[in-house]
Amino acid sequence: MPKARTKYVCQQCGHESPGYYGRCPDCGTWGSMVETVEQSAGPSTARRHGSPSAAGQATRLSDVSSDGGHRIPVGIDEFSRVLGGGLVPGSLVLVGGDPGIGKSTLLLQASTLHSATQGTVLYVSAEESPQQIKLRAERLNVVPEDLLVLGETDMNQIVTQIEQMTPSLVVIDSIQTVFLPDLQSAAGSVAQVRECTSRFMQFAKRSGIPVMIVGHVTKEGTIAGPRVLEHMVDAVLYLEGDRYHQYRVLRAVKNRFGSTDEVGVFEMTDGGMREVVNPSQAFLQERSGNAAGSAVAVPLEGSRPILVEVQALTTATSYGNPRRTATGFDLNRLQMLIAVLQQRVGYNLGMQDIFVNVVGGLRVAEPAVDLGVIAAIGSSHAGRPVERDTVFIGEVGLSGELRSVSQLDRRLNEAQKMGFKRAIIPATTTRGPSDRFQDIELHRVATAQEAIEAGLSAPSRSR
Ligand code: TYD
Ligand code: MG
């Protein structure tokens, strides 16, 4: 195959040059020149990658068949749900995550289950050898009959192979290890990753075969450089979690065919990823009864309320500067809540180190957990455990007021289902107590201070 012509394009100003410059000759930005395949290399290239039917013809929108309802199950229910019900034919899905978080494991399981009902799956492993995949499959105890494994890194070879096979699903693990020989840059570089992704996109659109690509999150927190892939693909899912905890959350951050609200919760076990059907139970299972510094909050993950335990520890600062550490919670938000506790509730936390941890490795970013965090810190500082079977729901404002949260009913329902008897909620919530909450007492409070008074057990006399 003749080599395609390449050029270097500045990502800042669009300046093009046939050779590489460390600094753009036009705008002077360092390191902005990225190698790109010249699309004008020949009319045949453009035609080959273009949509077969379009041929430059505009179509009446009313004549375009939508076929929007058609979804192909991935094989794992939680996975399908995150995608909005399943894979859309011809879509390109990026599954991102830190190295070692379990992307290959999840995709191998999904591929196996998918192939059992939907037909052949081609798993292109550019990272691990087919032997390694086999070992993993044995560990997962799956026998993939219709799973084909291709150990190949050359992009042209991969596309040739897929076209001969016409599988029902293609998995590329990972995009950072495949390369196009036409480009001089190394595999994993911005140029390679972008060009290969666009080839897979064209392939998916042309053939109607869904393609899932794995992308490792690099140190900067973006996949292969400056988020080069997110805008190109149809859906972006991230597999998140703490490597040292067993729980993983699969979250959609972009989805052209569905909402980005859904999350799937998995547990990494010795036998691979297991769907967690009842996340609240999982996150609360190790909770010890009545230690000070622990409170239960109810964040919504997508449309799903999940009960989580928030732990806090306050201790006298040994050096001049107090430390504040948050795991699974935003540090800036924590600083704000500490300031509220200080100024509005009257706790003297100026010389206290404060550590906050959301148990189970989950990251919660919702303001509705504010009250849980406040209660946990308050409880630790006062040395008073939280009242038994109590959950805390509410956003805390800068003047210490409690603000209402969205979808309170859903959260209360989940808390009731999990056997909680009391919920501390914002007084601003306008609706009256609904009949649905017969087993849970709703305690409405206006401020963080009232919430702490209502939520913590009475101070013990010995103190
Ligand atoms: P892997 O899927 O290779 O991660 P990624 O593709 O995201 O880099 O998973 C890596 C980790 O998962 C590894 O540390 C071993 C662990 N693991 C299990 O705990 N159970 C299993 O069944 C498997 C296959 C892996
Ligand atoms: Mg992997």
Side-chain angles (χ1 to χ4, degrees):
M1 195 182 283
K3 282 219 157 194
R5 291 238 309 276
T6 62
K7 62 186 174 188
Y8 292 82
V9 180
C10 174
Q11 300 297 294
Q12 285 291 330
C13 69
H15 177 80
E16 295 181 6
S17 92
Y20 178 73
Y21 289 96
R23 183 180 186 188
C24 173
D26 198 11
C27 67
T29 312
W30 286 98
S32 65
M33 304 291 289
V34 168
E35 196 184 17
T36 321
V37 173
E38 272 199 70
Q39 288 302 340
S40 58
S44 60
T45 338
R47 177 66 74 234
R48 194 150 34 88
H49 296 302
S51 159
S53 63
Q57 289 276 328
T59 319
R60 225 181 270 277
L61 189 57
S62 53
D63 294 344
V64 177
S65 74
S66 62
D67 198 18
H70 185 48
R71 301 274 176 160
I72 313 161
V74 185
I76 299 177
D77 289 348
E78 292 277 311
F79 203 144
S80 292
R81 211 161 48 77
V82 175
L83 278 172
L87 286 161
V88 171
S91 62
L92 183 66
V93 177
L94 171 68
V95 180
D98 289 332
I101 203 76
K103 300 180 295 299
S104 304
T105 307
L106 183 64
L107 286 176
L108 185 62
Q109 285 178 279
S111 305
T112 307
L113 292 164
H114 184 91
S115 70
T117 56
Q118 308 291 324
T120 317
V121 175
L122 178 66
Y123 192 102
V124 181
S125 180
E127 211 159 84
E128 294 164 306
S129 67
Q131 287 77 14
Q132 284 172 299
I133 310 261
K134 173 79 182 172
L135 283 175
R136 181 176 287 132
E138 280 171 1
R139 184 169 173 190
L140 298 175
N141 215 356
V142 291
V143 194
E145 288 294 340
D146 280 323
L147 182 67
L148 300 177
V149 181
L150 175 66
E152 179 61 70
T153 52
D154 183 335
M155 188 63 214
N156 291 328
Q157 294 289 341
I158 294 172
V159 172
T160 314
Q161 293 267 353
I162 310 177
E163 282 182 340
Q164 284 168 5
M165 252 176 254
T166 58
S168 67
L169 171 67
V170 177
V171 176
I172 310 291
D173 188 1
S174 68
I175 192 69
Q176 273 109 344
T177 43
V178 298
F179 73 100
L180 199 64
D182 300 334
L183 294 176
Q184 280 155 19
S185 3
S189 65
V190 174
Q192 285 285 3
V193 164
R194 205 175 56 179
E195 201 60 40
C196 292
T197 304
S198 100
R199 296 284 166 100
F200 285 123
M201 187 63 158
Q202 287 154 1
F203 165 78
K205 294 285 167 278
R206 189 170 63 224
S207 64
I209 299 172
V211 179
M212 291 208 256
I213 57 181
V214 170
H216 293 294
V217 172
T218 53
K219 284 197 202 85
E220 295 77 37
T222 49
I223 292 179
R227 307 181 82 120
V228 274
L229 298 184
E230 287 191 358
H231 71 281
M232 299 172 72
V233 301
D234 293 316
V236 182
L237 311 182
Y238 279 99
L239 188 61
E240 302 172 343
D242 188 331
R243 276 185 73 166
Y244 304 103
H245 286 92
Q246 73 270 39
Y247 296 110
R248 303 282 184 272
V249 175
L250 185 68
R251 193 189 298 276
V253 297
K254 164 178 173 177
N255 192 353
R256 283 186 185 149
F257 308 112
S259 84
T260 51
D261 279 346
E262 293 304 329
V263 296
V265 181
F266 295 91
E267 184 181 4
M268 182 58 118
T269 66
D270 281 347
M273 297 279 237
R274 229 187 37 221
E275 293 171 83
V276 176
V277 184
N278 190 343
S280 298
Q281 189 176 21
F283 286 118
L284 294 183
Q285 66 189 0
E286 285 175 29
R287 194 164 153 254
S288 68
N290 50 358
S294 154
V296 175
V298 196
L300 272 185
E301 286 292 344
S303 57
R304 204 183 197 192
I306 296 179
L307 271 71
V308 293
E309 178 186 358
V310 181
Q311 291 183 331
L313 184 64
T314 60
T315 156
T317 307
S318 12
Y319 303 104
N321 229 351
R323 285 183 62 193
R324 275 81 212 263
T325 314
T327 311
F329 189 73
D330 180 50
L331 186 59
N332 286 330
R333 190 101 199 150
L334 174 63
Q335 309 269 25
M336 186 209 104
L337 295 176
I338 293 171
V340 169
L341 272 169
Q342 236 173 241
Q343 298 297 324
R344 309 292 179 196
V345 185
Y347 280 16
N348 186 5
L349 299 169
M351 288 312 281
Q352 296 278 314
D353 288 343
I354 300 176
F355 305 91
V356 167
N357 177 31
V358 177
V359 178
L362 196 72
R363 258 202 80 78
V364 292
E366 234 208 334
V369 300
D370 285 355
L371 196 56
V373 174
I374 288 256
I377 300 174
S379 163
S380 172
H381 187 66
R384 290 159 54 188
V386 161
E387 287 275 7
R388 281 179 61 84
D389 300 331
T390 303
V391 294
F392 294 84
I393 306 170
E395 176 178 349
V396 177
L398 282 182
S399 44
E401 84 281 16
L402 289 197
R403 298 171 159 267
S404 55
V405 301
S406 63
Q407 312 199 42
L408 184 65
D409 282 13
R410 276 197 139 126
R411 302 178 204 253
L412 290 172
N413 213 20
E414 177 77 5
Q416 181 173 271
K417 217 169 73 195
M418 295 303 298
F420 283 83
K421 299 280 181 267
R422 272 176 95 217
I424 313 281
I425 59 172
T428 47
T429 308
T430 43
R431 268 188 291 159
S434 101
D435 301 342
R436 285 168 55 206
F437 305 116
Q438 287 164 349
D439 298 336
I440 192 162
E441 178 201 336
L442 304 183
H443 202 108
R444 291 157 195 277
V445 291
T447 63
Q449 179 156 20
E450 285 176 43
I452 288 180
E453 279 322 308
L456 301 195
S457 61
S460 69
R461 297 231 173 82
S462 59
R463 279 177 64 89

